[in-house]
Amino acid sequence: MTVILLALAAACCLGTGFVLQQIAAQHAPPQDYLSFRLLLDLVRMPRWVAGIVLMVTGMALGAVALGMGDITLVEPLMATNLLFAMALARRLSRQRLGRSGWAGLWLLAGGVTAFIVAGQPHGGRNSEVGQLAQWLIMGGVLSAALLLAAIAKRERVHVSLEAALLGVAAGLLYGLQDALTRISGLRFGAGGWRALLTSWHPYAIVVLGVLALVMVQSAFESAPLRMSLPALTAAQPLAGIACGVGFLGDQLRVTPGALAFQSAGIAAVVAGIVLIGSHPAMPPGAGATDSSRELQPR
């Protein structure tokens, strides 16, 4: 229960922080798109700083939850950050939830519940890292994220597709970051600060966090929140679960019935994320009213 409460608190901070960041990021200069200069411009905006503080707090709570529980349990719960983002966006826009909003809410909440109840995620006996599977999965996730970001930057695609691609890319990096956070927690628990600081994992976490942050803010700058946040929210738990099962030793029930309910749960989560993300209450962003990004040189 402590892990569940920590993960939900993390989701609340993340969802609220994402909304505040997007409201600020839509005022950033278009030429800073997918550039580290974007962060330098945004840090001057108090609302963006508040959103970052909430996001860091959410990540810290998520790290504690990952240290106490399994990534296959924590990740689906943290995907509910979209519910909290929706609650704040709805309050700011004063729009009713409507059928699509309620349907998305119940699909997301029900999907997470079905996945956890059916899968009964738990840590296995073999939670060692450094095996070939670890490098293959990490390399695949990282390569996919960088490829999506490259397509969003270099190909002349619509701004809404750019935002979705960057959202997926950032979600993949955040999922990988969560897996490395779990490993760092294990190393800290086994050998303290010395064991943690002499490994490469915490430094990789910082690098992944900065890369994902640039992608997220560029997505928030270029298009409505509904174009990027659902993609990010869907990609992060999928990447985290893949890492958890692939090389962290997490286990799920594999009976036919359990697998069917787990698949249905994941499908419901994705459908709920899409419905909530497309709700008109979500902040419109610069991309809804300004098509000049289409003409910006890459």
Side-chain angles (χ1 to χ4, degrees):
M1 181 58 68
T2 301
V3 173
I4 292 175
L5 292 177
L6 284 171
L8 291 176
C12 178
C13 292
L14 289 171
T16 305
F18 283 145
V19 173
L20 294 179
Q21 291 170 47
Q22 197 277 336
I23 293 175
Q26 63 180 306
H27 301 293
Q31 61 268 25
D32 287 349
Y33 179 73
L34 277 181
S35 168
F36 290 105
R37 293 193 307 270
L38 177 60
L39 302 183
L40 298 178
D41 288 327
L42 291 174
V43 77
R44 303 171 186 172
M45 304 180 186
R47 182 170 288 182
W48 186 83
V49 173
I52 287 295
V53 170
L54 283 170
M55 187 181 76
V56 171
T57 302
M59 288 182 171
L61 292 172
V64 176
L66 288 168
M68 299 175 62
D70 302 312
I71 193 170
T72 47
L73 170 64
V74 176
E75 286 288 6
L77 290 171
M78 290 181 65
T80 60
N81 71 77
L82 196 61
L83 298 180
F84 298 100
M86 178 66 178
L88 177 58
R90 178 174 173 269
R91 181 178 181 84
L92 293 175
S93 65
R94 297 183 178 180
Q95 292 202 27
R96 294 184 178 182
L97 204 56
R99 292 182 179 179
S100 64
W102 280 110
L105 187 153
W106 286 112
L107 280 171
L108 178 55
V112 170
T113 302
F115 178 83
I116 293 174
V117 171
Q120 296 182 6
H122 60 281
R125 296 180 180 178
N126 180 22
S127 58
E128 297 181 359
V129 298
Q131 306 298 323
L132 178 61
Q134 177 191 6
W135 298 109
L136 289 176
I137 294 174
M138 288 177 53
V141 172
L142 181 59
S143 298
L146 295 178
L147 176 61
L148 292 175
I151 293 174
K153 183 175 178 61
R154 299 186 181 278
E155 296 295 331
R156 291 203 171 269
V157 295
H158 193 273
V159 291
S160 60
L161 180 56
E162 288 180 359
L165 291 174
L166 290 176
V168 172
L172 293 176
L173 293 183
Y174 280 135
L176 182 56
Q177 185 186 49
D178 290 339
L180 295 182
T181 300
R182 166 82 177 278
I183 296 174
S184 297
L186 294 175
R187 292 186 65 88
F188 179 77
W193 287 106
R194 181 181 179 83
L196 177 63
L197 296 178
T198 54
S199 68
W200 58 269
H201 304 95
Y203 309 105
I205 289 172
V206 174
V207 173
L208 290 174
V210 173
L211 288 176
L213 187 61
V214 172
M215 294 178 185
V216 167
Q217 303 310 317
S218 296
F220 288 171
E221 174 198 14
S222 63
L225 191 66
R226 67 179 69 96
M227 302 298 181
S228 56
L229 190 55
L232 185 155
T233 306
Q236 181 174 353
L238 294 178
I241 291 171
C243 292
V245 176
F247 62 83
L248 287 179
D250 289 359
Q251 296 181 357
L252 298 169
R253 290 178 63 193
V254 292
T255 63
L259 289 175
F261 274 102
Q262 290 169 48
S263 301
I266 291 177
V269 168
V270 173
I273 287 171
V274 172
L275 283 175
I276 294 175
S278 63
H279 195 278
M282 299 301 276
T289 58
D290 183 6
S291 60
S292 62
R293 279 274 295 110
E294 297 287 351
L295 303 178
Q296 291 291 326
R298 305 301 177 99

